[in-house]
Amino acid sequence: MMPSITGLVLTYNGERLLDKCLQSLSFCDKILIVDSFSTDETLAIAEKHKATILQNPWGGFKKQFEFGLQHIESEWVISLDQDEICSATLKEKILSELQHVEPSTTAFRPCRRNWYFDRFMKHSGWYPDRLIRIFRPEHLTVTQSGSHESFSASGTIKDIDADILHYPYESFAHHLEKINLYAQEGAEDLKRKKRKGGIATALAHATMRFIKIYFLKLGMLDGKAGFINAMHGFFYVFLKYVRIDEGNWGTPFDAE
């Protein structure tokens, strides 16, 4: 017998891809949207797909996700970001797995295929990018460090060889906006941990990030997209460490 499934999506001004995201979850018994008071067409798109909509002020990913979990009544949850799509192959494999799932199995990890610049990335540390996205809600734990969140689950976790399709950025400007946000959150997290910053430290960490992405993770095989991504990785890490000490931006001083 097929267990009940809820598709869970956190949203904020996600009109760009939300229609495709929710359409890909149409096989779920219920779709639950937890929205942070969007001002675009997000809610109208959610209503079109007959989703249940909850609005809650954004207090960080962990708090918002846990708020959503409190309203889950189904046996299983499929979690997508608002810029992700459950592929047709993944849908079929999810239904096949859940139809005969063992009681000890508490979560599944599909692959995530990420689009960047002009292609789906095959290297650069971006694939297979396995993440827990199908799970029994009572067994899930959410953790967050700076701008990065992760899921863990008690019990048996199985891999599914099929893809979530992820379209994280729509332009260079969009990526740089995200880098600025994540670098600020990362710097604040490092500051709380009493880590040291500065130009030399920032350059050293940023250079290592570039080497890791472009050479060790074979980003060079991702063509132009691989190089651009590695440079953006360098810039993100540089900003994160140099911002630990903000200096005296905008502080009035006597120039004479």
Side-chain angles (χ1 to χ4, degrees):
M1 180 177 177
M2 181 64 66
S4 55
I5 309 170
T6 296
L8 174 61
V9 185
L10 307 188
T11 61
Y12 178 69
N13 289 350
E15 65 180 8
R16 177 171 67 101
L17 287 173
L18 188 61
D19 187 59
K20 293 185 183 334
C21 172
L22 299 186
Q23 181 59 43
S24 76
L25 291 174
S26 60
F27 65 96
C28 296
D29 299 290
K30 178 180 178 179
I31 296 176
L32 177 63
I33 297 292
V34 181
D35 182 70
S36 304
F37 297 94
S38 294
T39 57
D40 64 359
E41 293 299 308
T42 292
L43 298 184
I45 295 169
E47 290 171 355
K48 168 187 167 184
H49 289 274
K50 297 181 171 54
T52 299
I53 301 170
L54 301 175
Q55 288 194 297
N56 192 54
W58 182 258
F61 180 88
K62 176 179 167 62
K63 289 183 179 179
Q64 194 76 332
F65 199 86
E66 289 175 343
F67 174 82
L69 290 181
Q70 293 171 10
H71 295 83
I72 297 292
E73 298 176 347
S74 61
E75 298 169 77
W76 286 85
V77 174
I78 300 173
S79 171
L80 291 183
D81 291 345
Q82 63 184 9
D83 54 8
E84 294 176 339
I85 298 167
C86 178
S87 66
T89 302
L90 178 57
K91 167 192 168 182
E92 295 305 319
K93 291 198 173 185
I94 290 172
L95 293 175
S96 176
E97 289 283 355
L98 293 187
Q99 194 162 16
H100 307 288
V101 66
E102 298 176 357
S104 60
T105 300
T106 59
F108 293 92
R109 300 193 314 159
C111 303
R112 183 167 67 168
R113 189 174 296 276
N114 298 281
W115 182 270
Y116 190 78
F117 187 59
D118 63 352
R119 69 190 67 198
F120 282 116
M121 302 285 270
K122 296 180 180 179
H123 309 282
S124 304
W126 280 36
Y127 194 80
D129 193 21
R130 288 192 182 275
L131 302 164
I132 292 175
R133 289 302 187 86
I134 304 107
F135 53 86
R136 298 183 194 267
E138 67 272 17
H139 290 277
L140 189 78
T141 300
V142 185
T143 57
Q144 186 162 9
S145 177
S147 60
H148 303 287
E149 65 278 344
S150 62
F151 296 157
S152 60
S154 59
T156 301
I157 302 170
K158 293 185 176 181
D159 289 344
I160 293 181
D161 292 325
D163 297 334
I164 291 172
L165 306 180
H166 186 210
Y167 300 86
Y169 312 113
E170 58 181 314
S171 63
F172 284 120
H174 187 207
H175 191 186
L176 288 172
E177 287 175 9
K178 292 292 187 180
I179 286 174
N180 184 47
L181 173 64
Y182 295 154
Q184 187 62 38
E185 291 178 346
E188 291 169 359
D189 187 53
L190 290 172
K191 190 179 296 186
R192 284 191 295 269
K193 295 175 180 177
K194 308 298 183 184
R195 299 286 294 275
K196 293 183 179 180
I199 297 294
T201 300
L203 282 172
H205 281 278
T207 299
M208 290 306 299
R209 174 60 67 92
F210 180 87
I211 291 172
K212 179 180 179 180
I213 295 172
Y214 197 66
F215 295 107
L216 302 182
K217 296 293 186 180
L218 301 180
M220 63 184 79
L221 300 182
D222 282 320
K224 187 185 293 184
F227 182 77
I228 293 170
N229 175 59
M231 286 302 298
H232 277 153
F234 174 98
F235 187 50
Y236 157 71
V237 173
F238 177 80
L239 288 179
K240 183 170 69 170
Y241 277 89
V242 83
R243 285 183 181 181
I244 292 175
D245 180 7
E246 276 284 356
N248 295 313
W249 291 95
T251 302
F253 66 97
D254 188 349
E256 296 184 0

